[in-house]
Amino acid sequence: MTMTLKRAAQLVPSILSADLGDIGGGLTAMKEAGVTWVSVDVMDGHFVPNLSFGPDFVRLAKREGFFVDAHLMVSNPDTAFPWFVDAKADIVTVHQEACTDVSRTLAAIRKAGAKCGLAIKPKTPVEKLLAHAAEIDMALVMTVEPGFGGQKFMADMMPKVEALRRERDAKGLEFWIQVDGGINRDTIAAAYKSGADSLVAGNAVFGAPNPVDAARELIGKIG
Ligand code: DX5
């Protein structure tokens, strides 16, 4: 059965790139731009060479009324995910590369009360994600090497996005297809055209002179 999912694509600002001295102001700006979903990049300094946010940043975004995905770039996803479910993250995304038993972890996230996402790094083949297509609420294709914002978009990741969309349509599934890394005014259309319907952007939004205008411009390119 082939069913092309009809759903509005979402711009998902990453607070990793927000002014950490005024995250509240950054979130307010995103509300003004019409953003309803933000991403919290969680980094443990081990799975990726950077250290970032804990569950309290999910609590902050939830308090402001956002839909929140927590992207766990951590080596111990089974230990860490309950902290983010407790913080009421709507989607908790784990990395396939960090899981000892992917299906078990995905099922445990759902059982704990959140939707589950599965992410792959650039070097990981899309087959590692396709194998779990029926178990996920979101597939995340990293379009940079995870760890830092402001890197260059890897256009050669788009065949992975296309493969995920084909699988979703062929099987009548409804998982989100998210891309993360280097999404900006020059790259967002290619990612959207390939089939991404959740597009994470950090520096292109919060690094812009006017984040509200920057977010609105990107939203205008995915509808
Ligand atoms: C990488 C991070 C970044 C961030 C987005 O680990 O996940 O991709 O969210 O950063 P930009 O949009 O600046 O590449």
Side-chain angles (χ1 to χ4, degrees):
M1 172 181 76
T2 297
M3 179 193 80
T4 304
L5 201 55
K6 289 277 171 264
R7 177 168 62 194
Q10 302 291 316
L11 176 73
V12 182
S14 159
I15 64 170
L16 182 75
S17 311
D19 172 354
L20 301 188
D22 182 21
I23 292 189
L27 292 173
T28 301
M30 292 304 98
K31 270 188 215 164
E32 192 184 328
V35 166
T36 57
W37 177 353
V38 295
S39 183
V40 176
D41 283 309
V42 180
M43 301 177 184
D44 66 358
H46 183 257
F47 183 74
V48 292
N50 194 359
L51 207 50
S52 64
F53 304 116
D56 284 344
F57 288 88
V58 170
R59 289 188 177 90
L60 169 64
K62 290 304 298 176
R63 191 187 71 202
E64 295 302 317
F66 288 95
F67 183 89
V68 180
D69 77 70
H71 173 196
L72 306 192
M73 290 165 272
V74 302
S75 296
N76 61 338
D78 293 318
T79 307
F81 84 74
W83 307 334
F84 292 89
V85 175
D86 184 57
K88 301 287 184 269
D90 297 278
I91 301 178
V92 177
T93 300
V94 295
H95 267 266
Q96 180 275 333
E97 304 90 350
C99 290
T100 50
D101 180 332
V102 172
S103 298
R104 187 192 64 199
T105 301
L106 294 172
I109 293 170
R110 279 182 165 172
K111 188 163 187 287
K115 292 183 183 306
C116 62
L118 187 61
I120 51 172
K121 297 199 285 187
K123 291 190 182 70
T124 302
V126 68
E127 287 72 22
K128 297 283 187 188
L129 241 177
L130 291 168
H132 301 282
E135 304 165 55
I136 56 174
D137 300 296
M138 183 158 78
L140 167 53
V141 174
M142 289 305 292
T143 43
V144 294
E145 196 58 37
F148 297 90
Q151 301 177 74
K152 191 173 174 321
F153 176 75
M154 297 169 72
D156 56 346
M157 295 294 112
M158 291 304 98
K160 294 183 179 180
V161 174
E162 290 155 4
L164 285 159
R165 176 170 58 180
R166 281 195 302 273
E167 180 74 1
R168 185 178 69 183
D169 290 352
K171 302 276 175 65
L173 300 168
E174 298 196 352
F175 56 84
W176 290 94
I177 300 175
Q178 187 176 70
V179 291
D180 176 357
I183 296 295
N184 59 38
R185 60 167 49 133
D186 302 321
T187 61
I188 192 166
Y192 175 61
K193 191 165 155 287
S194 296
D197 53 6
S198 172
L199 299 103
V200 176
N203 276 273
V205 172
F206 292 114
N210 184 318
V212 177
D213 292 347
R216 283 179 176 150
E217 181 189 4
L218 294 175
I219 291 169
K221 293 177 182 288
I222 55 174

